[in-house]
Amino acid sequence: MFTAFARAFKTPDLRKKLLFTLGIMVLFRLGAHVPAPGVSFENVNQCVKEAESSGAGLFGLVNMFSGGALLQLTIFALGIMPYITASIILQLLVVVIPRLEALKKEGQSGQAKITQYTRYLTVALSVLQATGLVATARSGSLFAQCRVRDEIIPDDSIFTTITMVIAMTAGSALIMWLGELITDRGIGNGMSILMFVSIAAGFPGSLWAIKQQGSLADGWIEFGVVIICGLAMVALVVFVEQAQRRIPVQYAKRMIGRRSYGGTSTYIPLKVNQAGVIPVIFASSLLYIPALIVQFSGSQAGWADWINQHLVRGDHPYYIITYFVLIVFFAFFYVAISFNPEEVADNMKKYGGFIPGIRAGRPTAEYLSYVLNRITWPGSLYLGLIALVPTVALVMFNANQNFPFGGTSILIIVGVGLETVKQIESQLQQRHYEGFLR
């Protein structure tokens, strides 16, 4: 594998792409440490240190996707989340709005239009999220337990607020542009690479915190156990992410003039985890809503107390059960809207393809739907179990909610790593070099 990396750097155009990608990653991490205008750097650092000892709370997921920039109120505080949210919304709207569905079927030109709409929606969401973040920081709710939480933004004038919102929105737009640059001129999918960098940046600090909090052999026993468990999880995720059900497809021979077309055999690859990490993000976001309502309402009523006791603590049985059920539900929901068996069956029938033993048309669509439902069950259960790993760590190691080998972080890091390695592998094979797999 290291030999393959060396050969990749020896290839001029591939080396240029790799170095360009690494340069963008460095620039992205530098921007994550530049404070937004109007923020007291000393007070923010003090509150961040106090928050790290008790977990990031409600903002843990967004803080992880921003590489820790959210709680530090930097210009890249929003991270990649506005673009992710906009992309998910557009994917859902394509199923609902006929105009967007028609654009998707137009091919490259239609996809370019949808991408443009995603950019506009990303900027709009960035303005909303930046406004909410600045308002939360000014009210002291961002660091509820910090002593200097009211002094994070010393100047509470309208001009300072607008400047901070503009700076954070511009930072989010810049991240989107950097991601597109990686996609066009670098290696891999740019947005996925930046997400990978954001999550991986928090790994060393989280691992070292576990070592410092440990009591066995000065913390090295806990540190070693966490590393072994992490490697086992990575192996499990790689195995399941690569697993797929291949449905054979046969194309009939057709004579056009004096030429014979078709007669080939191929397959439809249906992944066990067809939905990826989207169900975990959906479930986490939905579970944040009740706690956010309580936090911003400031109510002390019975319903607010019940939510704080049952739906905020990550180790409570109600939280665990609700989280698991939501992940399973959203796995089926996302697969249902992203894979249309009837459309696949119609395309196969149009080009003379059929599944051996299954009639073309409606029986093929019913068979695809049946197979998809059966493989989605183990995929959704696997997602739910992986996502509950931080809860187990919370009990075993007294870790915080940002446990480094949490389900969401491992799924994203392994998925992005596999796709990037495959792209490098394919480019090496095009140049007749030996790749990563031997």
Side-chain angles (χ1 to χ4, degrees):
M1 180 173 177
F2 292 106
T3 307
F5 268 118
R7 288 176 175 171
F9 274 97
K10 288 179 181 178
T11 309
D13 55 340
L14 196 53
R15 180 177 65 245
K16 184 178 179 181
K17 290 182 178 181
L18 288 171
L19 291 176
F20 181 82
T21 303
L22 290 174
I24 295 293
M25 290 163 61
V26 171
L27 185 63
F28 174 65
R29 286 308 301 159
L30 286 176
H33 291 86
V34 178
V39 175
S40 173
F41 184 71
E42 294 80 6
N43 293 337
V44 166
N45 276 344
Q46 181 178 341
C47 290
V48 167
K49 289 178 181 178
E50 294 181 12
E52 286 176 351
S53 60
S54 59
L58 294 175
F59 305 96
L61 182 69
V62 184
N63 190 56
M64 180 185 69
F65 280 121
S66 66
L70 174 77
L71 295 182
Q72 293 178 345
L73 294 175
T74 68
I75 57 173
F76 284 177
L78 302 180
I80 202 73
M81 278 301 287
Y83 185 84
I84 295 174
T85 308
S87 301
I88 293 173
I89 291 174
L90 260 296
Q91 286 185 16
L92 297 176
L93 291 180
V94 164
V95 184
V96 179
I97 302 177
R99 169 61 180 162
L100 292 177
E101 188 176 2
L103 281 176
K104 184 180 179 182
K105 293 179 179 178
E106 287 181 6
Q108 188 174 357
S109 60
Q111 191 60 46
K113 275 283 186 184
I114 294 177
T115 302
Q116 195 68 20
Y117 294 154
T118 306
R119 293 170 183 162
Y120 294 149
L121 184 58
T122 299
V123 174
L125 289 175
S126 298
V127 173
L128 290 176
Q129 293 182 16
T131 304
L133 178 59
V134 173
T136 304
R138 285 178 56 179
S139 66
S141 301
L142 187 62
F143 301 99
Q145 308 299 325
C146 183
R147 291 172 296 174
V148 293
R149 60 182 181 273
D150 296 326
E151 301 174 13
I152 293 176
I153 305 176
D155 185 5
D156 59 353
S157 64
I158 297 296
F159 177 78
T160 301
T161 303
I162 294 176
T163 304
M164 292 181 66
V165 170
I166 292 175
M168 291 181 181
T169 303
S172 183
L174 179 60
I175 290 173
M176 180 173 60
W177 180 62
L178 293 177
E180 292 181 354
L181 281 179
I182 293 178
T183 304
D184 294 338
R185 304 181 186 179
I187 292 290
N189 181 279
M191 300 304 173
S192 300
I193 293 290
L194 295 183
M195 197 188 308
F196 174 93
V197 173
S198 298
I199 296 172
F203 265 55
S206 300
L207 286 172
W208 190 247
I210 290 175
K211 187 266 176 190
Q212 290 181 324
Q213 294 172 5
S215 57
L216 300 175
D218 199 23
W220 289 109
I221 299 295
E222 289 89 346
F223 182 83
V225 171
V226 170
I227 292 293
I228 293 173
C229 292
L231 293 176
M233 278 189 60
V234 169
L236 172 64
V237 171
V238 169
F239 177 77
V240 178
E241 290 296 318
Q242 297 290 84
Q244 57 182 221
R245 168 72 184 275
R246 296 181 175 182
I247 299 177
V249 177
Q250 183 73 35
Y251 285 92
K253 278 190 175 182
R254 294 180 297 167
M255 294 297 297
I256 301 179
R258 295 184 179 182
R259 284 190 157 186
S260 175
Y261 293 90
T264 58
S265 297
T266 183
Y267 60 86
I268 301 175
L270 295 179
K271 294 181 65 175
V272 173
N273 182 23
Q274 190 85 3
V277 75
I278 299 298
V280 181
I281 297 175
F282 275 9
S284 301
S285 303
L286 200 62
L287 270 179
Y288 283 151
I289 294 176
L292 281 173
I293 293 174
V294 172
Q295 183 170 345
F296 286 113
S297 66
S299 174
Q300 301 295 329
W303 62 271
D305 186 57
W306 188 91
I307 289 176
N308 285 327
Q309 290 184 358
H310 299 88
L311 294 180
V312 175
R313 290 174 49 203
D315 56 346
H316 196 280
Y318 284 2
Y319 182 95
I320 295 172
I321 294 172
T322 306
Y323 192 31
F324 186 84
V325 170
L326 283 175
I327 289 174
V328 173
F329 168 76
F330 281 121
F332 278 91
F333 173 76
Y334 189 77
V335 168
I337 66 170
S338 61
F339 186 89
N340 189 349
E342 294 181 358
E343 183 180 349
V344 175
D346 290 341
N347 289 335
M348 288 171 53
K349 186 177 181 181
K350 186 187 301 182
Y351 294 105
F354 63 93
I355 300 173
I358 307 294
R359 292 182 60 187
R362 185 176 181 82
T364 298
E366 292 176 350
Y367 176 75
L368 290 174
S369 180
Y370 169 74
V371 173
L372 194 62
N373 285 332
R374 291 194 65 181
I375 67 172
T376 301
W377 269 113
S380 61
L381 296 177
Y382 143 82
L383 274 179
L385 292 175
I386 289 291
L388 291 178
V389 168
T391 303
V392 178
L394 195 67
V395 177
M396 291 181 61
F397 304 106
N398 195 27
N400 58 35
Q401 295 282 2
N402 300 322
F403 183 66
F405 293 108
T408 309
S409 57
I410 286 292
L411 286 169
I412 292 175
I413 282 181
V414 172
V416 174
L418 286 174
E419 289 301 319
T420 307
V421 166
K422 284 179 182 177
Q423 286 204 20
I424 300 176
E425 171 82 14
S426 64
Q427 296 206 25
L428 284 175
Q429 288 180 348
Q430 288 176 2
R431 294 163 178 80
H432 307 290
Y433 286 141
E434 188 176 10
F436 294 97
L437 306 177
R438 299 183 179 180

